[in-house]
Amino acid sequence: MIQVDFNREEILSIIDKVTNKTLAMDLTWDWPCGVAYYGVSRAYQTTGNKEYLDRLVQWADEYIELGLPDWTVNTCAMGHMLITLYEATGEQKYWDIAMSKVEYIRKNALRFGDNVLQHTVSISNDFPEQAWADTLFMAAFFLLRVGSKLKDQELIQDALNQYYWHIKYLQDPGTGFWFHGYNNVKQDHMSGLYWGRANAWGAYTMSQVKPLLKDWYLYPQCMDVECSLRDQLAALKLVQTENGLWRTVLDDEESYEEVSASCGIAAAMINNGNPLHTKYVQKALKGILANISEDGRVLGVSGGTAVMKDREGYRNIPKDWIQGWGQGLALAFLSDMLK
């Protein structure tokens, strides 16, 4: 078990600041909001602060009344919040919308190869036969949460199939790091770079599999998840910076430190529970807290990032703005610290 030294009241205060700042953002029904409100949901579950829940309900009800967008892989990230709203309120409408997202993933989402979800950001065929690490958080992790809740083996198996193939396509067996994306048409990793947040999507979502599946050892794909995460975290600890963070291109010393990736990676270490990672989490906590402003903004978060053409493309993504995914991953990390 990981034992990190921190002040609980200080962490609760920071969670409150970050949550309130997040809820003050004008986020729309898409993946930035999905990650942000996943974090707020985790904050509610950890602190029991009903104000967080009430504000999520108010936002969701207003948006539902105005009309929801078409589903894509990215918009399925909103399903995480819907699960929390349904469990906390018992309101069927939230579960019905969540299940409509499941229906989309199962029957309408673009797939390739062995039923692998193609990453989609709009209703167009944006990235033909491309697998991105982002899809694990937006769709596969959500699908696994629903399948686990319903004890639906078909949904569980589909979700684990996504984990299995994303590991096969994206993890470099030589380094343990994850590539950002894989192009099945060209059979390559496009830029071929180890993007920090891609590694956070992979590590964080893999760290959630065992807690969701009571008999995880009865699913062969879970062995792949366990070993993939083990090798990835063993590699990631070696490229943590002196400031306790990870860079936007992991092995590139000229790339800037990126806080959303750092939150996801550190949270995965907490959830994985290897005591040898204690010092890396302790160091990450210090670095992450140093990048949270007094008004609850998570700083040093790179903008939304496609699979870029080259190293310079990643180095030049701006990090000057508050982003939903930065807020959400920080809240997930801080909540995991307190569990």
Side-chain angles (χ1 to χ4, degrees):
M1 180 178 290
I2 290 180
Q3 300 285 344
V4 178
D5 182 32
F6 62 88
N7 183 309
R8 184 178 180 85
E9 293 306 313
E10 178 189 11
I11 298 298
L12 285 169
S13 175
I14 294 170
I15 286 175
D16 190 60
K17 291 176 183 178
V18 175
T19 298
N20 284 317
K21 187 64 179 179
T22 305
L23 290 167
M25 298 171 70
D26 279 336
L27 295 169
T28 59
W29 196 285
D30 205 345
W31 76 273
C33 187
V35 183
Y37 285 3
Y38 170 79
V40 173
S41 298
R42 292 282 292 108
Y44 162 68
Q45 292 161 344
T46 299
T47 67
N49 189 331
K50 192 171 182 297
E51 180 187 349
Y52 303 161
L53 176 67
D54 291 342
R55 292 173 69 182
L56 284 178
V57 166
Q58 181 181 13
W59 180 91
D61 286 352
E62 181 177 359
Y63 222 108
I64 291 167
E65 185 176 346
L66 291 168
L68 301 179
D70 293 319
W71 296 159
T72 65
V73 161
N74 269 351
T75 56
C76 285
M78 295 300 301
H80 291 292
M81 174 199 71
L82 292 167
I83 294 173
T84 299
L85 293 188
Y86 173 67
E87 291 177 341
T89 69
E91 287 283 345
Q92 186 65 35
K93 63 183 177 183
Y94 302 128
W95 187 248
D96 290 343
I97 297 171
M99 291 305 295
S100 75
K101 291 179 182 291
V102 170
E103 185 79 357
Y104 161 77
I105 293 171
R106 296 288 288 122
K107 296 184 178 179
N108 300 114
L110 295 172
R111 297 183 181 231
F112 66 92
D114 289 82
N115 281 317
V116 182
L117 286 168
Q118 174 181 310
H119 192 74
T120 55
V121 302
S122 75
I123 60 173
S124 301
N125 187 6
D126 306 286
F127 306 105
E129 294 194 30
Q130 289 186 21
W132 293 17
D134 314 47
T135 298
L136 285 182
F137 185 94
M138 312 307 163
F141 174 33
F142 164 62
L143 200 64
L144 187 62
R145 290 184 70 190
V146 175
S148 175
K149 183 176 178 64
L150 296 177
K151 296 181 173 57
D152 186 319
Q153 292 303 314
E154 185 177 352
L155 295 184
I156 291 171
Q157 289 294 343
D158 190 12
L160 292 178
N161 186 60
Q162 302 310 315
Y163 278 89
Y164 175 85
W165 283 106
H166 280 76
I167 290 168
K168 296 300 181 186
Y169 285 144
L170 298 178
Q171 188 167 30
D172 179 1
T175 64
F177 297 142
W178 280 44
F179 298 105
H180 187 172
Y182 171 78
N183 187 323
N184 191 54
V185 175
K186 296 184 177 180
Q187 303 278 297
D188 65 18
H189 294 103
M190 295 170 276
S191 64
L193 297 173
Y194 308 127
W195 182 45
R197 197 156 59 238
N199 280 265
W201 296 136
Y204 183 78
T205 56
M206 287 194 294
S207 77
Q208 299 297 314
V209 172
K210 280 188 182 180
L212 282 171
L213 295 177
K214 179 181 178 182
D215 298 327
W216 67 271
Y217 46 82
L218 297 178
Y219 298 90
Q221 301 99 320
C222 287
M223 312 299 177
D224 291 284
V225 171
E226 181 182 37
C227 293
S228 172
L229 181 59
R230 177 201 65 198
D231 292 353
Q232 185 191 24
L233 294 181
L236 285 169
K237 73 180 187 184
L238 301 179
V239 291
Q240 187 181 32
T241 70
E242 286 303 309
N243 293 321
L245 303 175
W246 282 268
R247 299 184 183 279
T248 200
V249 177
L250 293 175
D251 57 347
D252 176 18
E253 292 189 357
E254 294 183 31
S255 289
Y256 57 75
E257 295 171 331
E258 206 281 325
V259 177
S260 71
S262 301
C263 289
I265 292 167
M269 286 182 170
I270 294 171
N271 295 327
N272 198 46
N274 187 334
L276 294 175
H277 291 155
T278 298
K279 61 184 177 182
Y280 303 100
V281 175
Q282 188 77 63
K283 196 173 178 181
L285 176 62
K286 181 178 179 180
I288 290 164
L289 294 185
N291 281 278
I292 298 177
S293 70
E294 279 300 312
D295 66 343
R297 287 174 294 124
V298 180
L299 309 175
V301 176
S302 62
T305 307
V307 181
M308 306 303 286
K309 293 181 179 179
D310 52 31
R311 195 175 301 270
E312 287 301 314
Y314 287 99
R315 288 175 178 172
N316 291 320
I317 296 292
K319 59 180 179 69
D320 299 326
W321 305 95
I322 182 173
Q323 305 287 3
W325 48 93
Q327 302 292 113
L329 286 170
L331 287 171
F333 167 67
L334 294 170
S335 296
D336 286 340
M337 288 290 301
L338 297 182
K339 69 180 184 181

